[in-house]
Amino acid sequence: MKKVRVFAPASIANMGCGFDIIGFTLDEVGDILEMTMTEGDGITIENESGVPLPEDIHKNVVTPVINKFLDIMDRKAHIDVKIVRKIYPGSGIGSSAASCAAAAYGMNALFGYPLSDEELVECAMEGENLASGGYHADNAAPAIMGGIVLIRGYEPLDLIKLPVPGNFYCAVIHPNIVVSTKEAREILPKDVPLHDAVRQWGNVGGLVAGLYSGDINLVGRAMKDVVAEPYRKKFIPGFEDLREKLLATGALAMNIAGSGPSVFALADKFGIASRAGKIMKEHFDSRGIGYESFVVKVSNNGAKILSED
Ligand code: HSE
């Protein structure tokens, strides 16, 4: 018998212009799983987190992750999963990805770390597909590897860790509006006009250049999304008005977190991020919409083993 306790962080996908190809991790917030491997075959899942999750194991995102790992390894094992801590699903900070990343990383630890980051992300994407009906890695890759990760390509997976500026703070608010990732993906048109594509890849290049050169203003300037945001912002009341207020307070950028409905603002000073958080709260208070919100540092840390027996 072998047992691990594993943590994987919350993450924010897209980072503005990087639809499905860039994401970053947040400090402190994340999922904790306890995974026990014994001889045999099968999976059991016990949810101790207090967050409601489907009881059917085939509807829990960790199941396809574990199955994919065992397929790649061509091994059988009995895995008991205890979900100890869980980010609330639908919060826009990579709730499903945190579980998927923790499950993939935990399996790797149980087997003595045989798989690469790319292979672990392949496993985690099986869970993301169950959650949203799409194979995207922009939450799962950072949740496994930590920091800001660029998915240069999917076939095959080519993952690049980008530099994280030293002082990079994020205010996030999750308004109590229900928008599923599935729905937020289905409303997107399948084709992008050339003019918009040109703007988007200019911004992706600018974002990467800004992160490498430490040019924070370039990072902010480049975090513009003309591909997904125009279709998704209608789910978020007063979106443009909120952005205007956040930029006026000194935030570098404000965008939809992943597929929404959460939004986030980045700042290079904690004080500005705190002010941004306050403005976000006032914005939704004035519209009678409840929320959860927090201000955290953008982290450089991914999944990790907390303890093992
Ligand atoms: N890149 C994905 C999307 C992230 O925008 O649909 C989902 O969290």
Side-chain angles (χ1 to χ4, degrees), residues 41-86:
D41 195 5
I43 298 172
T44 62
I45 301 175
E46 201 182 324
N47 177 16
E48 280 194 345
S49 66
V51 172
L53 294 172
E55 299 215 338
D56 177 355
I57 65 154
H58 299 290
K59 291 192 178 144
N60 191 305
V61 295
V62 306
T63 301
V65 178
I66 294 170
N67 285 333
K68 178 76 178 179
F69 185 97
L70 292 170
D71 272 1
I72 296 178
M73 293 294 295
D74 197 18
R75 293 277 297 273
K76 281 195 190 319
H78 186 90
I79 308 291
D80 288 313
V81 182
K82 201 184 281 175
I83 301 168
V84 179
R85 198 166 95 189
K86 178 86 211 96

Side-chain angles (χ1 to χ4, degrees), residues 13-14 19-20 136 138-139 181 185 232 257-259:
N14 299 344
F19 177 74
D20 275 2
H136 60 93
D138 50 345
N139 288 106
T181 300
R185 292 180 79 81
R232 290 174 166 178
S259 57

Side-chain angles (χ1 to χ4, degrees), residues 48 126 130 143 148 243 271 282 290 298:
E48 280 194 345
E126 292 294 333
L130 175 64
I148 306 174
R243 169 140 65 201
E282 285 164 4
V298 175

